[in-house]
Amino acid sequence: MNARVRRVRGARESLASIVLGLETVVVFLAGLTLHGLDALPNVPSWWGIVAGVVFAVVLVLTIPVLRYRWGIALGWVWQVIIAAGGFIVPALLFVALIFGGMYAYATIKGGALDASNLL
C-alpha cells in the first residue's frame, strides 16, 4: 500500500490559516450585526448578512493559497477591507486591530520560524 505523503506546512502558513479561520466566524457575526443594527446606509439591512457570508467564504477560500506569497498578501488585503468596514461600524475597527495584529504576528514570526528551521 502506498501511503499518501502529506505536504509539510510551515509555521507562517499554519499560523495565518488559524487566524483567518477564527476571523471567518467574527466576520460572519459582524454581518449579522450590520443587519441587526440596520447600519448600512441606503441599502436594505439584509445586505449585511450577505456581506458577512460572502466575506466569510472569501476568507475560507484564502486559507488554501496561504502557501504562496500572493496568498499571504491576499490575507493582508482582507485585513485592510475589514478595517475599512470600521467606517460603517466602528467596532469593526477594533476587530481589524486585533486580527490584523494576530495576522501580522502569524506572518512575521511564522516566517522567522520557517527561516530558522531551514538552517
Side-chain angles (χ1 to χ4, degrees):
M1 291 197 137
N2 291 341
R4 184 173 173 199
V5 178
R6 291 185 62 164
R7 183 180 63 81
V8 177
R9 292 174 40 160
R12 181 173 69 170
E13 181 185 351
S14 295
L15 292 173
S17 66
I18 291 167
V19 172
L20 288 184
L22 290 172
E23 196 168 15
T24 299
V25 175
V26 175
V27 166
F28 172 72
L29 293 174
L32 292 177
T33 302
L34 288 173
H35 169 66
L37 294 176
D38 198 17
L40 296 174
N42 303 323
V43 293
S45 66
W46 57 268
W47 276 104
I49 296 174
V50 172
V53 169
V54 167
F55 206 77
V57 169
V58 165
L59 286 173
V60 168
L61 293 176
T62 302
I63 291 172
V65 298
L66 289 173
R67 72 177 81 174
Y68 308 109
R69 287 187 139 215
W70 62 268
I72 296 293
L74 185 61
W76 279 112
V77 169
W78 303 141
Q79 301 306 315
V80 170
I81 291 173
I82 292 171
F87 291 111
I88 299 172
V89 177
L92 283 178
L93 189 56
F94 180 71
V95 169
L97 288 173
I98 297 295
F99 279 97
M102 289 181 358
Y103 192 75
Y105 182 81
T107 56
I108 294 168
K109 186 64 173 179
L113 286 170
D114 291 340
S116 70
N117 286 338
L118 291 177
L119 299 178

